[in-house]
Structure formats: structure tokens, C-alpha cells
């Protein structure tokens, strides 16, 4: 019983570190209208800044996707937290667009290291027989952390001083505290190898999963793309066309999307995988049609996405 409690405490601490790591990746979302006022760039530039993050994630997954299995969970998470700290420093120093690009790239590197390593670490730390509950902890930490980022930034930007500095200063402190937590947790990879053993891994599909990969990949791609468009342009859309200038509300709108995604993933276990994908399309299409209906023809967000009939849902 004591061992189970200790195991779950470690599992929850690992989940908390996961939340902090993922929150940093979405922290700037409600702040982009302020950056637009400060630096004078367009919504198109916002989407480009967002896209830089994806290049960082993909690069890490291809070049060091097996890092946590090779050098260990803790070193990988510490590197991820290091990139998160560096990203926060870039935003704290930002006096031009180049700093935003650098911050988003470093944030992508952090997320690429964190996503797989933190998920595996949470699962490893759970006591025997707790795999299903640990999966829920990892899922909630991942998507919940993505939702906490814009919510935290929006609240601080609206109700605290220095809206372009304080959110990143707070996250920098949280990242440093998370590093202390990681150092106090045990390593779960028994046979570790040096960093030089990490090798690039090109995508490959095992034979048994090839039949289901295409529909699952298409749904995931379209879903993530839909979320990318929503999170990148919704702050500017709310401010310009719905006249919502409260940053806390903007952060909440984006956060609710991530929190709803968490709830949707919990429902998959009850609904079943075979029903989840068909239901995703009717759930997302009305939302996108509503968004487009409210967007004037000149709105960049309505011209940067294909027709809603081509958009199922999101994982």
C-alpha cells in the first residue's frame, strides 16, 4: 500500500512536470495581438511564427526520437526543460520578430523532447497494475498543459503588470522548479547508453498497423491542422471581428479547446475507437462553419484553410 502511494505520488509529480513543459508551448497564444501592436506584423506572420514551432518538433522527433530510451528519461526531460527556459528567455528579451522565431523554435525542440519522454516517464513511475490510470494522467497532463499555457498567459496579461514579460518569467521559474523535481525522481531506464548512441530514426510502419494507419493519420493531420489554425488566429479574430479585448477571455477560449480535447480522449474508451473518428467530423465541421460564417471575406483566417467539408476532427 505504501509502495502504491509512493508510486502514484511520483506519477503525479511526473505529470505536473509534463504540464509545465507543455504549457510553455502555448503560452504566447493570447499575447500575439500585443506583439502585433508592438512590432506591427500581420496575422499571416503569426501563423508563420506558429509554424516554426512545428519544424522544431519534427526535427527532434526525426533526429532524437529515441533519446529517452537511450540516455534515460530524466536527462531527456532536463534537456527539454532547458530548451523551455531558453525559449522563455527569448520572449523576455524580444524586441523584434527574430526573437519570436527563436523562442518558438526552441519551444518546438522542448515539446519534441518532452512529449514522448514525459508520457513514457509517467507510465514508468506508476505502480504495478496502474497502466490504465497512468495513461489518463499522461493524457490529461499533455492536453491539460497545452490548455494551461494560454489560460495562465491571458490571466497575467489582463490582470497583472508587464503582459509581455510576466507570463514568461513565471514559466521560467516553473521550469526551473520542474527541473528540481525531475532531479529528485528516480530514473526508470535501467540500461542507459551515452548520448552518442542516439541515432536519427526515419518513419517506418510495422506491417500489422498499415491498414489502420492511413485513416488514423488523415484524421490526426486534419485535426492538428484545424487546431493549429484555431490557436494561431483566434486571438486576432476575437479582437478584430468580435471586439473582445480581454486577454483572459482570449486565453480561456483557446484553453477550452484543449480541455475539450482532453475530455474527448477520455470518452474514446467508452465510445470506442471505431466510433470516435466518424463522430469527430460532425463535431468539428459545425464549429468551423460557424467560424467562417462570422469571418468577413477579408479575414485571413478564412482564406488560409480549405473548405470545411475537407476537415474531419482532431485527436
Amino acid at each position: 500500500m505504501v509502495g502504491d502511494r509512493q508510486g502514484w505520488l511520483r506519477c503525479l509529480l511526473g505529470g505536473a512536470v509534463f504540464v509545465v513543459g507543455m504549457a510553455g508551448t502555448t503560452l504566447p497564444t493570447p499575447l500575439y495581438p500585443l506583439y502585433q501592436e508592438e512590432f506591427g506584423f500581420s496575422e499571416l506572420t503569426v501563423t508563420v511564427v506558429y509554424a516554426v514551432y512545428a519544424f522544431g518538433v519534427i526535427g527532434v522527433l526525426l533526429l532524437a526520437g529515441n533519446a529517452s530510451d537511450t540516455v534515460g528519461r530524466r536527462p531527456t526531460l532536463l534537456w527539454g526543460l532547458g530548451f523551455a527556459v531558453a525559449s522563455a528567455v527569448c520572449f523576455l528579451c524580444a524586441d523584434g520578430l527574430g526573437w519570436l522565431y527563436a523562442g518558438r523554435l526552441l519551444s518546438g525542440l522542448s515539446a519534441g523532447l518532452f512529449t514522448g519522454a514525459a508520457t513514457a516517464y509517467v507510465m514508468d513511475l506508476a505502480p504495478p497494475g496502474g497502466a490504465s490510470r497512468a495513461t489518463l494522467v499522461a493524457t490529461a497532463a499533455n492536453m491539460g498543459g497545452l490548455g494551461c499555457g494560454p489560460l495562465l498567459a491571458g490571466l497575467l496579461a489582463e490582470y497583472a503588470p508587464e503582459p509581455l514579460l510576466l507570463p514568461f518569467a513565471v514559466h521560467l521559474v516553473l521550469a526551473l522548479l520542474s527541473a528540481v523535481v525531475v532531479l529528485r525522481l528516480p530514473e526508470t531506464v535501467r540500461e542507459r547508453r551515452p548520448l552518442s548512441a542516439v541515432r536519427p530514426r526515419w518513419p517506418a510502419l510495422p506491417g500489422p498497423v498499415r491498414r489502420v494507419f492511413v485513416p488514423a493519420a488523415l484524421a490526426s493531420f486534419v485535426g492538428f491542422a484545424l487546431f493549429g489554425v484555431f490557436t494561431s488566429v483566434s486571438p486576432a479574430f476575437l479582437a478584430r471581428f468580435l471586439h473582445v479585448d480581454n486577454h483572459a477571455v482570449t486565453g480561456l477560449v483557446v484553453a477550452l479547446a484543449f480541455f475539450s480535447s482532453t475530455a474527448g480522449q477520455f470518452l474514446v474508451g467508452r465510445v470506442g475507437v471505431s466510433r470516435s473518428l466518424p463522430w469527430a467530423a460532425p463535431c468539428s465541421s459545425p464549429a468551423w462553419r460557424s467560424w467562417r460564417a462570422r469571418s468577413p471575406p477579408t479575414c485571413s483566417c478564412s482564406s488560409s484553410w480549405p473548405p470545411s467539408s475537407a476537415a474531419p476532427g482532431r485527436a
Side-chain angles (χ1 to χ4, degrees):
M1 182 65 69
V2 176
D4 285 354
R5 288 180 180 176
Q6 187 178 37
W8 283 118
L9 176 60
R10 290 173 174 174
C11 179
L12 292 175
L13 286 173
V17 172
F18 200 175
V19 169
V20 172
M22 300 312 293
T25 65
T26 53
L27 199 66
T29 301
L31 307 178
Y32 285 124
L34 294 176
Y35 282 118
Q36 287 181 278
E37 294 177 7
E38 185 77 12
F39 302 139
F41 53 78
S42 66
E43 285 83 4
L44 178 61
T45 302
V46 174
T47 61
V48 175
V49 172
Y50 241 88
V52 170
Y53 163 84
F55 288 114
V57 174
I58 295 172
V60 167
L61 292 178
L62 291 178
L63 298 177
N66 63 337
S68 71
D69 295 328
T70 304
V71 303
R73 311 290 189 221
R74 293 199 310 168
T76 305
L77 292 180
L78 290 173
W79 273 100
L81 289 170
F83 283 125
V85 168
S87 174
V89 170
C90 286
F91 281 100
L92 287 171
C93 297
D95 58 1
L97 194 56
W99 286 101
L100 302 188
Y101 285 131
R104 289 301 290 167
L105 179 63
L106 290 167
S107 184
L109 297 177
S110 173
L113 289 172
F114 238 89
T115 306
T119 300
Y121 199 35
V122 169
M123 300 287 291
D124 292 344
L125 292 171
S132 60
R133 294 173 66 183
T135 301
L136 295 180
V137 172
T139 300
N142 189 349
M143 301 305 298
L146 292 171
C148 287
L151 184 60
L152 173 64
L155 289 171
L156 292 177
E158 185 65 29
Y159 302 114
E162 300 294 343
L164 295 181
L165 297 179
L166 188 60
F168 300 102
V170 170
H171 186 258
L172 190 151
V173 173
L174 291 175
L176 293 175
L177 292 175
S178 297
V180 175
V181 172
V182 171
L183 289 173
R184 296 182 65 87
L185 290 173
E187 177 57 63
T188 57
V189 176
R190 295 182 180 180
E191 298 181 3
R192 289 183 289 168
R193 290 172 288 170
L195 184 61
S196 59
V198 177
R199 294 287 184 270
R201 299 177 63 181
W202 295 104
L205 284 177
V209 303
R210 290 178 181 174
R211 283 188 61 188
V212 298
F213 175 78
V214 172
L218 287 174
S220 298
F221 175 83
V222 174
F224 273 96
L226 177 59
F227 241 63
V229 172
F230 178 80
T231 55
S232 64
V233 303
S234 58
F237 177 87
L238 290 171
R240 179 173 300 182
F241 300 109
L242 299 184
H243 308 293
V244 176
D245 56 1
N246 187 304
H247 303 298
V249 173
T250 301
L252 177 62
V253 169
V254 178
L256 285 175
F258 288 111
F259 295 153
S260 299
S261 179
T262 305
Q265 292 186 49
F266 288 158
L267 290 174
V268 170
R270 295 186 177 184
V271 176
V273 176
S274 60
R275 296 181 180 179
S276 298
L277 291 182
W279 273 102
C283 286
S284 62
S285 293
W288 181 250
R289 290 193 184 98
S290 175
W291 180 285
R292 287 174 59 87
R294 291 176 176 270
S295 304
T298 57
C299 179
S300 63
C301 61
S302 64
S303 61
S304 61
W305 185 252
S308 58
S309 60
R314 185 198 189 273

